[in-house]
Each structure stands twice: as C-alpha cells, then as structure tokens.
Amino acid sequence: STPPPKTSTMRWVVVLAWAVRLALGGEESLNYAVEGVLSLKDRSVTLPTTEVVLNGGEYRALTRTDGAFVFHDVSPGVYLLDVLSIDYYFSQVKINLPKSVDQSIMCLEYKYPGAPKQAIAYPLRLVAAAKKQYFQQREKVGLHTLFRNPMMLMLVFTGIMVIAMPKMMENMDPEEMKKLQDQMGAANDPASMLKNLFGVGDDNDADDDDAKKKIKE
C-alpha cells in the first residue's frame, strides 16, 4: 500500500492556493468607481442628460437629473474624461487612477485644448464654461451699420456738398467764378471737354478757317 501524503505538504498547497486567491481578489478590489457632477453657472437651468466618456469611449456614462455620473469597474491607469454636451462647453480632465490603494486619485483640468493644466479635487465637480453658439447673432441696425454702407456715405457726401458749395461760391473771386462756370459749361459739351483735355479739334478748326478764307477769295 502507498503511504499517505504528508500533512505539511498539503498545508503548503492550501496556503499557496489562498495566497493566489487573495492576490487575485486584491487586484479586483483596485477597480475604481469614477464619479463626478456636472453643473451650470445658472442654477435655475436644468442640465439635460449628457454623455460622459473616458478615453474617447472606452468607458461611457450618462448623467442623472442632478448632473451626477459614475463609471463602474474602471481599471487603474491614466484616462481622459470628456463631456459630450451639445449645448455647453466643459473642461477636459486627465484622471490618474493609482495601482496602490495607498495612493490618492490625481486629476488635472484643461479648460480648453492647449490651456495650462491645473489640479482639481476628486470627486469631480465640473461647471460649464460657456454655452455653445451654432448661429451668429444678427447685428442690430444702428448708425454704425448705416455708415458702413457705401451708398449711404455717398449720399452724406452729396448732401454736404449741396450745403457747402453755395457758401464757397459766395466767397469766390469773380474771375474764378467765371472760370469755374466756363469749365462747368464745357463739361456739358463732350466736344469742348475733349478739346480742353487733349487739344482735339484745334487742327480741324484751323482747316475750317482756311477753307472759309479761300472761298471768300
């Protein structure tokens, strides 16, 4: 007959099995329940149900009526928390879940992409930074909008000239007045205007004068 196993060997096997079980149980107990609360600056407005994600969707959670949310059974590691709100802007938070129960959870807040980080307390309490604007607000009509219109500027300039020109002409020298009237009369005659500007028509007038002289002779 075979001898019975030694009790010391069996005892060590049981101790080793319990140690493995405790080790596995200790790892499982390190999973975290990541929680926080979303809120608005205006307490009278109720935040609609909003989705919150870790690492772009590795973990997902929905807010309750009071804005609270919780992620269950989150493994230790570093995660980025984003609030997928269609109405409000919320900060992005980097969460460090330690592997040891002796260490505390560390959270860093980024107000907007590229903003300097700042440490915040845990559990998270995030307040909406601003409300999203999908449409540009129509500008109200006023003097500043009227004077941006080129037609309005031309109208104002014309009105000023109508009022100022008579006063300017009253103080003008008679010779200058006559010269200005001649120029204005020439401006109404295209042929005279071209003649004054480019000298067109002088040669033709001279030829006409010579022809008339020959006819008389």
Side-chain angles (χ1 to χ4, degrees), residues 93-105:
V93 181
K94 179 182 288 186
I95 305 174
N96 186 0
L97 304 179
K99 295 182 179 180
S100 174
V101 294
D102 298 333
Q103 298 177 350
S104 58
I105 298 176

Side-chain angles (χ1 to χ4, degrees), residues 32 40 70-71 74-75 78 80 109 113 119 143 146 165 183 189 193 197 203:
Y32 293 89
L40 303 177
V70 59
F71 298 94
V74 182
S75 303
V78 179
L80 281 178
E109 180 184 23
L143 293 177
L146 291 177
M165 280 299 292
Q183 291 179 354
D189 185 4
M193 184 174 62
L197 290 176
D203 296 338

Side-chain angles (χ1 to χ4, degrees), residues 3-205:
K6 297 182 179 180
T7 57
S8 59
T9 304
M10 293 295 295
R11 186 179 301 170
W12 279 110
V13 171
V14 172
V15 171
L16 182 60
W18 275 102
V20 172
R21 185 175 179 180
L22 289 175
L24 293 176
E27 290 180 359
E28 291 178 358
S29 65
L30 284 178
N31 288 353
Y32 293 89
V34 179
E35 56 187 352
V37 177
L38 303 182
S39 61
L40 303 177
K41 293 180 180 179
D42 187 357
R43 301 293 183 179
S44 61
V45 179
T46 302
L47 179 70
T49 301
T50 305
E51 185 177 13
V52 187
V53 298
L54 293 178
N55 285 356
E58 184 177 349
Y59 295 89
R60 296 178 179 272
L62 294 175
T63 58
R64 298 194 293 265
T65 55
D66 59 350
F69 63 89
V70 59
F71 298 94
H72 298 283
D73 298 329
V74 182
S75 303
V78 179
Y79 299 90
L80 281 178
L81 183 144
D82 292 291
V83 180
L84 306 183
S85 174
I86 62 175
D87 298 318
Y88 300 94
Y89 290 104
F90 285 89
S91 303
Q92 186 183 61
V93 181
K94 179 182 288 186
I95 305 174
N96 186 0
L97 304 179
K99 295 182 179 180
S100 174
V101 294
D102 298 333
Q103 298 177 350
S104 58
I105 298 176
M106 303 295 293
C107 300
L108 295 176
E109 180 184 23
Y110 299 86
K111 292 288 186 181
Y112 52 88
K117 59 186 178 181
Q118 58 181 8
I120 58 174
Y122 181 84
L124 300 173
R125 292 188 175 274
L126 302 179
V127 180
K131 185 177 178 60
K132 294 182 179 180
Q133 298 290 341
Y134 293 98
F135 302 98
Q136 186 176 3
Q137 189 175 2
R138 179 176 295 179
E139 190 174 10
K140 296 181 180 179
V141 179
L143 293 177
H144 63 288
T145 57
L146 291 177
F147 286 104
R148 290 179 186 174
N149 190 341
M151 296 299 296
M152 182 60 66
L153 293 176
M154 293 177 62
L155 182 61
V156 171
F157 178 76
T158 304
I160 293 174
M161 293 300 296
V162 168
I163 297 173
M165 280 299 292
K167 295 183 178 181
M168 293 174 60
M169 295 180 68
E170 289 177 359
N171 300 325
M172 188 178 294
D173 186 72
E175 294 181 359
E176 293 293 334
M177 174 73 73
K178 184 177 180 181
K179 184 177 180 181
L180 179 61
Q181 291 176 351
D182 294 339
Q183 291 179 354
M184 293 177 63
N188 295 328
D189 185 4
S192 301
M193 184 174 62
L194 291 174
K195 180 180 178 181
N196 294 331
L197 290 176
F198 304 106
V200 177
D202 293 341
D203 296 338
N204 294 334
D205 293 342

